[in-house]
Amino acid sequence: MRPFVIFFILVFIAISGSTKASIGRFLPFSGFYPIPRETPEPINVNTFLTYPLLTFKPLTLSGNNEHEAAFIRNTGFSVQVFLKNSSTTVTATGGPLYGNLYRFRKIIFYWANNANGTAYTTVNGKNGSPLEVAVVYVNLKYGPLTNAMRYRDGVSTVLFRIQIGSEPNPKFDQIAAAMKKIQKAGPLVPIKLHDVFKLFNEFPTNTRYFAYPGSLVSDETTGEQFYCTTTIPVATHPTQFISKKQFDDTFLKLLKYDGTQLINQKPQYPRGLRPVARSRGIVQPYSNLTVYHATSTDPE
């Protein structure tokens, strides 16, 4: 019995050591990970298939966006929010970003075709939502998004889920007012970045999140496809809701360029070889940060 116990302990140590090595090799921004190009997202995040031996430091989402002007646009395939000027204090660092500082690039809304649907990601096959907000950040050392997409640590996307509640959410009012002006694709409508962020950035500290290598994205000018390296879905119960009427009167009335209804929910793909890690510790936004200059503010 004793040799068996010793053998088991040695095997466990070996597995633990190789797992830690694998974490260093396969996690986002670590260099190599074996993901086929045909494996995009969204995925169902299975909490039982995550790396158990890794603890991330807090992911810090910060910036003073109170006075930052932006535009909201129906692009014909999604609704996006991007900066009016070429600077922002909105940044992300820590967690799986390994000490790099990422600057806000844009926001993308994903929504389902009904208030009970799932727009994008799920956790353990549930906990999805009909509205999901993707906040795209670009690694400062790589410059514009089109260049950053060529690097595994070039882009990070943080996902927030918005659920349907019984009462209207006044924090959605400014977004709703702007979206009623973009029911048809094309126009650029001014909006304050703060009025968008306040819908989803009030989350508690020590919020659990998952990090995994992300999806294929297209170059804004050539259409060439690259990896968007990491997606970090916020996996706790959402802290924000909008009413069914708010959802129906905004997202379900948007049109494509051809006049047909615009629904941009994404089908889920197999998790495949994609590694997923989990941790805790999202830090609430704060202000008084240095202003970083973007090189491009054009929407896709």
Side-chain angles (χ1 to χ4, degrees), residues 67-70 83-88 294 297:
H67 303 292
E68 296 191 29
L83 291 169
K84 178 181 179 181
N85 301 312
S86 59
S87 63
T88 179
T297 56

Side-chain angles (χ1 to χ4, degrees), residues 231-248:
T231 297
I232 307 170
V234 176
T236 58
H237 194 67
T239 58
Q240 292 292 349
F241 296 78
I242 62 174
S243 69
K244 184 178 184 301
K245 186 177 189 322
Q246 286 178 315
F247 180 78
D248 292 346

Side-chain angles (χ1 to χ4, degrees), residues 140-151:
L140 280 173
K141 67 183 180 182
Y142 295 129
L145 176 63
T146 51
N147 184 59
M149 286 192 303
R150 301 172 184 272
Y151 298 89

Side-chain angles (χ1 to χ4, degrees), residues 65-73 80-85 87 104-107 178 188-197 297:
N65 53 53
E66 185 72 31
H67 303 292
E68 296 191 29
F71 287 109
I72 189 170
R73 181 186 181 190
Q80 300 189 15
V81 177
F82 55 97
L83 291 169
K84 178 181 179 181
N85 301 312
S87 63
F104 168 78
R105 177 61 175 81
K106 62 182 176 180
I107 293 170
L188 303 178
V189 174
I191 192 170
K192 288 185 178 180
L193 198 61
H194 172 74
D195 289 334
V196 183
F197 267 86
T297 56

Side-chain angles (χ1 to χ4, degrees), residues 6 9 29 31 42 58 103 118 196 199 209 225 237 241 281 289:
I6 294 174
I9 293 174
F29 305 166
R103 183 195 60 239
T118 296
V196 183
L199 177 64
Y209 65 88
Q225 290 186 317
H237 194 67
F241 296 78
L289 295 181

